[in-house]
Amino acid sequence: MSEENVIDAIMDDLLTEESQLEQDHSSSEDESGEVVDARQKWAIFMRNQFSVRAEFPSTESILKANGRLNQEYFRPKVEPQQSEERAWTDVERDLLIQGIQQYGIGNWNDIRKELLNEWTSNDLRLKCIRLIGRQNLQLYKDWKGNADEIQQEYENNKRIGSKYGTWKQSVLVYDDDGKVEEELMAYHQK
């Protein structure tokens, strides 16, 4: 049977089913005993016609036996946990601090290429967030500091976070009232 004939046959079935559904305005029960009205019957019929395709075996589980959508089919597949993440060594931490001192915060590609090529730029950014103790690094764009200056920034961010209750998982986050941002701006104006 050609593709056009298949489409014509499906359209004929649809038109027949549609006219039957238009005539039947009353509700009825399906196999599971649930009440199904004409619109639901039509939707189930359409799903059966177009959702499950023989040429795509994965679509066989898209519908339940009663024609309703199988929600599990649409849920993202959970990937198994990858092996344990690699921890930062003291040497790598010192190299990152050296990179911040040499290239400045935000220049992750330069730091990665020259000093820490086994880590991604995003890994370096995240580690810097932990070193500085600040979720948002915008105020530090291109800032260069040594280990003592980085520790001083960490302590100040921790002090502000503790003061306003915004020290979360060893990182300063902004508050809704803008008090953290005001204090940070005042501190960085010094």
Side-chain angles (χ1 to χ4, degrees):
M1 188 181 265
S2 73
E3 192 172 320
E4 288 181 14
N5 292 341
V6 170
I7 293 172
D8 288 341
I10 291 172
M11 291 305 294
D12 289 341
D13 288 345
L14 289 173
L15 292 172
T16 303
E17 181 68 20
E18 186 177 19
S19 65
Q20 289 173 354
L21 290 174
E22 286 175 357
Q23 294 172 3
D24 182 18
H25 294 290
S26 64
S27 297
S28 62
E29 290 185 7
D30 67 3
E31 303 84 38
S32 66
E34 291 185 42
V35 176
V36 181
D37 68 15
R39 287 184 182 179
Q40 289 171 321
K41 283 183 185 178
W42 183 79
I44 290 169
F45 175 77
M46 294 298 286
R47 283 188 203 126
N48 283 320
Q49 291 296 314
F50 292 105
S51 296
V52 180
R53 305 298 298 250
E55 61 269 24
F56 302 110
S58 66
T59 62
E60 291 175 3
S61 61
I62 203 168
L63 298 176
K64 293 181 179 179
N66 65 2
R68 302 213 185 283
L69 289 175
N70 176 9
Q71 295 300 321
E72 292 300 317
Y73 178 86
F74 296 98
R75 287 204 172 86
K77 306 296 184 252
V78 177
E79 297 294 326
Q81 292 271 337
Q82 291 183 356
S83 61
E84 203 172 298
E85 289 188 29
R86 198 177 81 149
W88 282 77
T89 64
D90 290 339
V91 172
E92 290 171 325
R93 180 184 178 278
D94 292 343
L95 286 172
L96 178 58
I97 291 170
Q98 179 185 336
I100 292 170
Q101 189 172 1
Q102 186 175 349
Y103 298 102
I105 289 179
N107 299 303
W108 312 121
N109 284 330
D110 294 333
I111 296 170
R112 185 181 62 77
K113 287 177 189 171
E114 297 297 322
L115 303 169
L116 293 160
N117 60 6
E118 64 277 359
W119 293 96
T120 67
S121 296
N122 193 50
D123 290 332
L124 300 178
R125 182 185 65 81
L126 292 172
K127 182 61 175 177
C128 182
I129 285 171
R130 295 288 182 205
L131 286 175
I132 295 286
R134 174 92 62 84
Q135 183 180 31
N136 185 339
L137 296 174
Q138 286 179 327
L139 290 176
Y140 291 105
K141 178 74 175 128
D142 295 324
W143 180 82
K144 296 177 180 179
N146 61 31
D148 292 336
E149 293 167 326
I150 290 172
Q151 184 61 35
Q152 183 181 355
E153 289 297 315
Y154 179 87
E155 294 300 327
N156 183 62
N157 289 327
K158 184 176 181 179
R159 179 188 60 78
I160 294 170
S162 298
K163 178 178 178 180
Y164 294 109
T166 57
W167 187 250
K168 310 289 183 188
Q169 298 180 350
S170 300
V171 174
L172 174 66
V173 297
Y174 287 115
D175 62 336
D176 293 335
D177 301 328
K179 293 178 183 174
V180 168
E181 188 172 13
E182 285 175 17
E183 188 148 342
L184 287 172
M185 296 306 267
Y187 173 78
H188 286 282
Q189 296 299 323
K190 291 180 184 179

